[in-house]
Amino acid sequence: MSAADADQAAAAHGYQVSPFTTRTAKAVDAVCPWQLIGFANDGVAERAAVAWIIADAVMRNRAGHSHAYRLWRDAALAAKSLSGYEARLVRPFVQPVFGLPPTGTDADDHVPGHVGEWLWYLLTREERLTGHELALLDPPSWSVTEGGGDGFAVHRIAAATDTSLIFKLWEIKKFTGGGSVSGTITSAATQLARRGDEYVAKISWANSTLPGDLGRLMTELTELWMRADPRGGAGVSVSTNTASTPKRSAFSQVPTYLPDLVHPGQLRGLIIAVEDFSAFASEVRGYLWSAL
């Protein structure tokens, strides 16, 4: 589907991913409950719209105040390839992770991994949790090889006389093989247990200048994590093929690797299932390449 047609479908739903998906709660009484997200209608138009939403979000985030985003978007929608200085301006914002046409990169497995991070980010940004207001959500990093946690979200909730902040550190993986995602979930939980201290320390440093209650949270973030304070928690998200969608007990092993997180709501799992996830990630890359 052309970028213009995909953009029209995306615009009809406010450029949000959630209207194209279903969200089902699983193992709600478990220590680590989880949700399954899949396409409501896994048709060509729906997949194209979501792929375009992700590509557009990636470029908007990466380009920042540069003219590169507008150049890329206008060219993609017009099905016109940029050339000369304009193409040169856009290329460095596309090349990390996604490479450049026609050959891409030698690490094509990075593409589905990064697309999985952006899916998690967009779905988290759109999620409506009763009594929770999203206060901080870090976007995915510039590349999939940067050190640090994959996802970090802070919500403001009503307390007895005021409001309080709670946070979750997320490890985000992709599984594009056959069989069970269990090993990938275990790997993510193990990584959080082994490197969580380092991840939250980096997050607190990166957000140290935030004002108000967010700034105060950052001053004690590492200690809260190390003490397994009820205000903190962890999550594991895996993007995978529909055929690899796990059963109810998929995240039952997570508490084994994060045994100190015992308070209700501290652990959470997420499976994002797409028919042939690698092909879907390539579709995102195709839209990013469409102006080059």
Side-chain angles (χ1 to χ4, degrees):
M1 179 178 284
S2 71
D5 289 340
D7 181 74
Q8 186 175 7
H13 294 284
Y15 294 98
Q16 291 199 324
V17 174
S18 297
F20 296 96
T21 64
T22 59
R23 188 186 288 260
T24 307
K26 300 283 188 176
V28 293
D29 297 326
V31 177
C32 183
W34 59 284
Q35 292 184 330
L36 172 64
I37 294 178
F39 276 98
N41 181 4
D42 200 6
V44 172
E46 289 76 16
R47 288 168 61 94
V50 175
W52 170 254
I53 290 169
I54 296 170
D56 186 75
V58 169
M59 279 302 293
R60 184 189 294 272
N61 176 266
R62 291 187 175 199
H65 297 295
S66 165
H67 296 301
Y69 169 69
R70 181 49 60 183
L71 284 171
W72 167 82
R73 181 179 169 85
D74 288 348
L77 292 177
K80 179 186 73 172
S81 294
L82 296 169
S83 60
Y85 173 78
E86 292 181 339
R88 182 183 175 189
L89 182 60
V90 169
R91 285 190 196 108
F93 296 101
V94 174
Q95 185 169 9
V97 179
F98 298 96
L100 295 174
T103 58
T105 71
D106 293 332
D108 278 348
D109 63 314
H110 287 175
V111 174
H114 200 60
V115 169
E117 291 181 6
W118 273 97
L119 266 173
W120 172 85
Y121 172 79
L122 293 171
L123 288 163
T124 300
R125 188 174 69 179
E126 297 168 15
E127 185 179 16
R128 298 294 175 260
L129 295 171
T130 303
H132 291 58
E133 175 192 355
L134 188 62
L136 178 67
L137 180 65
D138 283 346
S141 59
W142 185 262
S143 73
V144 294
T145 57
E146 288 184 22
D150 294 329
F152 181 73
V154 178
H155 284 86
R156 186 173 284 110
I157 61 172
T161 58
D162 199 353
T163 59
S164 179
L165 294 176
I166 60 173
F167 70 89
K168 272 192 175 56
L169 177 68
W170 285 78
E171 187 64 30
I172 303 168
K173 301 287 189 184
K174 60 95 171 75
F175 178 78
T176 54
S180 171
V181 301
S182 178
T184 302
I185 295 171
T186 296
S187 174
T190 302
Q191 193 167 333
L192 285 170
R194 182 168 50 88
R195 303 191 63 188
D197 294 0
E198 172 192 343
Y199 293 165
V200 294
K202 185 175 181 179
I203 290 166
S204 66
W205 164 77
N207 294 292
S208 60
T209 60
L210 288 173
D213 56 355
L214 283 170
R216 291 191 293 274
L217 175 67
M218 293 303 142
T219 65
E220 54 182 344
L221 187 70
T222 309
E223 297 172 72
L224 293 174
W225 171 262
M226 290 181 176
R227 296 200 310 263
D229 188 277
R231 286 171 286 176
V236 170
S237 175
V238 180
S239 294
T240 188
N241 302 316
T242 304
S244 296
T245 300
K247 301 191 182 301
R248 186 181 185 279
S249 59
F251 290 84
S252 59
Q253 72 269 40
V254 172
T256 303
Y257 298 94
L258 298 163
D260 294 332
L261 299 178
V262 296
H263 299 281
Q266 281 194 298
L267 292 176
R268 189 176 176 195
L270 183 67
I271 294 290
I272 303 170
V274 179
E275 188 67 39
D276 195 344
F277 186 72
S278 290
F280 173 74
S282 295
E283 192 171 358
V284 175
R285 181 176 61 183
Y287 283 131
L288 287 165
W289 283 3
S290 61
L292 297 173

